[in-house]
Amino acid sequence: MNTIITPEEIATARDLGACEPALDWLTSAPRTWGEVVERHGGWILEHAAARLTAARLDACAERAPWAALEHAAARLTAERLDACATRAPREALRYAAHLVTPERIDWCAGLVPGLALRYAADRLTPARLDACAERAPWAALAHAAARLTAARLDA
């Protein structure tokens, strides 16, 4: 991550829509990839995730896990995906529920049951589905009614 950003990479950032303050910062002094990731990791993931090397993707994901889950979840290693999900459970459910482990889905659902019902109802265990429905009944009815037991629907 100590590699200096090249003029070509700055031009690519400009082409991808980097704002003037970011471009001014990039060109005001030699900048390393580490500095750029630290300052603009989320933007890089949003606009250039497909262009990143594995090491740069991992560094950006460590800095901005929410953006990694939204824009690059399929490219993350299993370990990085799990680390991102623990730091950004809402985004894990919304953007990567189909990729994270059942255990991590269960953990995320315990934190944000309404989002789990909306984005990952098909991945919840019956016990977790019931617990989420108890804590977020409106979300259960709106997003998972077909998966609820008769007893839960009557509750």
Side-chain angles (χ1 to χ4, degrees):
M1 298 308 295
N2 292 325
T3 304
I4 298 292
I5 300 294
T6 66
E8 292 79 18
E9 290 167 326
I10 293 171
T12 298
R14 181 176 289 110
D15 293 346
L16 291 172
C19 65
E20 285 305 314
L23 292 169
D24 290 344
W25 177 81
L26 274 173
T27 58
S28 66
R31 304 291 182 186
T32 67
W33 264 97
E35 290 174 302
V36 174
V37 167
E38 180 68 25
R39 189 169 175 142
H40 299 291
W43 187 91
I44 294 167
L45 286 165
E46 182 178 351
H47 296 281
R51 299 168 184 242
L52 297 175
T53 65
R56 289 176 181 168
L57 176 65
D58 192 60
C60 287
E62 184 175 351
R63 179 70 180 140
W66 58 92
L69 290 165
E70 182 176 358
H71 301 290
R75 291 194 56 214
L76 299 174
T77 65
E79 295 79 18
R80 178 57 65 199
L81 182 65
D82 191 61
C84 288
T86 62
R87 291 183 52 210
R90 288 170 174 78
E91 290 79 3
L93 290 168
R94 185 169 186 184
Y95 302 112
H98 62 290
L99 298 171
V100 298
T101 65
E103 295 78 18
R104 186 57 64 207
I105 288 286
D106 188 63
W107 181 84
C108 292
L111 296 174
V112 282
L115 289 179
L117 290 163
R118 182 172 185 175
Y119 296 110
D122 61 326
R123 306 242 9 247
L124 299 175
T125 65
R128 179 55 74 188
L129 180 67
D130 193 54
C132 288
E134 187 172 328
R135 289 181 53 205
W138 294 110
L141 289 173
H143 304 292
R147 297 180 181 283
L148 300 175
T149 63
R152 176 52 57 200
L153 286 169
D154 288 340

